[in-house]
Amino acid sequence: MKITNLAPVIQTPEFQPQLTAADELALANSRFAQSDLPFYRKLGRTNLTVSCLGLGGGGHISSEDTLYAFDQGINYFFYSSDLHQYLYSSMRPALRQLCGRGSSIREKVVLATVSYMIRTPDTVFTYLFDQFIDLGIDYIDVFFWGWIDEHNHPAFEKCISASDDIRGPSSVTQRQIERVFGVSEKMKKMGVVRYIGASFHDHDLAKQWVNSPLLDVVMVRHNVAHRTAQKKVFPHLDANDPHRPGIVTFKSAGMFGPLWEPPLGLPDNCWQPSVPDLYRYSLSQNSVDVALAGWQTREHVDAAIQAVQKGKLTSEEIDYLNLYGDLHRNRIKPHEIPTERLLVAR
């Protein structure tokens, strides 16, 4: 027998084209109805893909319902270890399961943590140490300096100047954490903190810092009755700018009172927005990526997800909710209400 070919037969795998960022978002959003309010989006200039609704622990939600939220598509979770810690503690076992060392789904979750103890950059290790112990994690996606206002702004300026010592792989803070908790592949790849954020209770300060290269994510309070962010923060951002910071809102459903309850003087048969409608209000604003929620039960999760799939509010609905918020804040008297701006119950 004549051997004519001694070259081995090599099976070449089929070519797998790499997905672009737009393709990845489209694929993620394919589980939800298409609308002008996509459920998943990039968090500003970070490379994090986030759900437009985020879950915090303010409602003392159970771990079982926290896991349920993740199963329904929520992937942004906000955790505090030093303020209202009791309220957040009930979701801790779920976050350990989702984000803890060894989790096979860790990279599908965006874990945001916060410290409200704004002092000096040197103390950040202490705050991170507590969070790594609480949650058994390898890394944090976004670490927030919390509750920035005129009282702690000088300390915040010192802390934020150390961003590059905290975020990303090979940082000073990473080496400290590794010595205590050990090194893992995910920690080496991501760093102990991937991105730095700040939560502002002073919108003038938020405006001052919103375009700082030291901040990757900015969190501001915003709702129909407290709309200062619409004047001082959101107009200074281009929603289509890939270099802008991520924007997260909180207090969507109220600050000093529940906004889902009708204000005094609202005429009968007018639309009374639900809590999910109030999330849609924030998400309908320029450049808002995530509206943070303090759900208590899985039913709250379902209602919010169903609502945002309706898309953004119309300009008429936004105008009405501005009026509704002004009534809550006593900015307008009942006899001054322009009837043409009212919307009937739906």
Side-chain angles (χ1 to χ4, degrees):
M1 182 175 68
K2 185 176 180 180
I3 300 176
T4 58
N5 187 3
L6 295 178
V9 177
I10 300 175
Q11 299 290 334
T12 57
E14 293 185 12
F15 177 68
Q16 298 285 336
Q18 186 151 0
L19 294 178
T20 65
D23 290 335
E24 290 178 351
L25 278 176
L27 182 62
N29 279 312
S30 64
R31 68 182 288 187
F32 297 100
Q34 188 174 1
S35 78
D36 61 354
L37 204 168
F39 195 81
Y40 294 108
R41 63 278 305 281
K42 288 296 180 183
L43 182 59
R45 60 170 165 261
T46 75
N47 69 351
L48 301 172
T49 297
V50 294
S51 51
C52 64
L53 295 166
L55 173 56
H60 199 52
I61 192 169
S62 70
S63 272
E64 291 77 13
D65 286 351
T66 299
L67 293 173
Y68 176 83
F70 176 74
D71 289 339
Q72 301 312 303
I74 304 299
N75 79 334
Y76 185 93
F77 297 92
F78 183 80
Y79 180 79
S80 170
S81 60
D82 58 31
L83 182 67
H84 306 309
Q85 207 275 336
Y86 167 73
L87 292 176
Y88 286 86
S89 64
S90 57
M91 66 191 300
R92 183 190 305 138
L95 294 182
R96 290 182 71 96
Q97 182 175 330
L98 294 172
C99 304
R101 181 168 286 198
S103 168
S104 62
I105 55 175
R106 174 62 184 91
E107 293 186 31
K108 297 181 180 180
V109 182
V110 176
L111 175 64
T113 68
V114 63
S115 175
Y116 297 95
M117 308 297 287
I118 309 300
R119 291 175 183 166
T120 67
D122 296 335
T123 57
V124 69
F125 174 75
T126 302
Y127 315 142
L128 292 173
F129 182 90
D130 289 344
Q131 293 173 0
F132 271 64
I133 288 290
D134 269 359
L135 301 179
I137 50 181
D138 283 299
Y139 65 91
I140 293 165
D141 292 294
V142 187
F143 176 76
F144 280 93
W145 298 107
W147 207 307
I148 309 305
D149 60 18
E150 69 276 13
H151 301 296
N152 59 16
H153 184 241
F156 168 69
E157 285 188 300
K158 295 177 184 177
C159 291
I160 196 62
S161 66
S163 285
D164 292 335
D165 293 331
I166 301 170
R167 66 181 169 191
S170 303
S171 68
V172 174
T173 303
Q174 178 173 355
R175 292 195 291 272
Q176 290 178 295
I177 291 287
E178 285 179 345
R179 283 196 291 268
V180 177
F181 295 96
V183 184
S184 72
E185 289 301 316
K186 289 183 179 179
M187 191 183 292
K188 285 193 294 184
K189 175 184 175 183
M190 305 295 187
V192 296
V193 172
R194 298 180 67 186
Y195 300 102
I196 296 291
S199 171
F200 290 94
H201 284 244
D202 183 310
H203 289 92
D204 288 312
L205 291 177
K207 177 183 176 181
Q208 175 182 330
W209 285 96
V210 73
N211 287 309
S212 169
L214 298 175
L215 276 183
D216 304 301
V217 186
V218 171
M219 188 156 68
V220 292
R221 67 176 186 267
H222 174 258
N223 59 52
V224 298
H226 297 82
R227 304 191 298 272
T228 310
Q230 291 172 217
K231 297 179 180 178
K232 295 187 176 181
V233 182
F234 304 155
H236 300 280
L237 297 165
D238 178 356
N240 297 314
D241 180 3
H243 304 294
R244 70 166 175 84
I247 298 294
V248 179
T249 61
F250 63 96
K251 296 292 187 184
S252 295
M255 289 176 59
F256 305 115
L259 291 173
W260 62 90
E261 294 184 356
L264 291 175
L266 184 72
D268 294 338
N269 300 320
C270 282
W271 175 31
Q272 296 178 24
S274 65
V275 172
D277 290 326
L278 299 174
Y279 300 140
R280 288 175 67 207
Y281 180 85
S282 281
L283 290 168
S284 297
Q285 306 299 322
N286 172 52
S287 297
V288 173
D289 298 307
V290 179
L292 194 63
W295 300 312
Q296 297 174 312
T297 67
R298 63 181 59 194
E299 288 76 21
H300 293 165
V301 175
D302 289 338
I305 291 175
Q306 290 168 9
V308 298
Q309 290 183 73
K310 298 177 183 177
K312 292 183 177 180
L313 297 172
T314 66
S315 58
E316 292 79 10
E317 289 171 328
I318 290 175
D319 180 67
Y320 169 78
L321 290 179
N322 291 341
L323 177 64
Y324 178 95
D326 286 343
L327 278 170
H328 261 285
R329 291 292 302 277
N330 297 314
R331 292 196 188 101
I332 188 171
K333 304 300 181 184
H335 69 273
E336 299 172 335
I337 295 174
T339 56
E340 67 274 11
R341 293 176 61 188
L342 296 174
L343 294 181
V344 298
R346 49 197 59 195

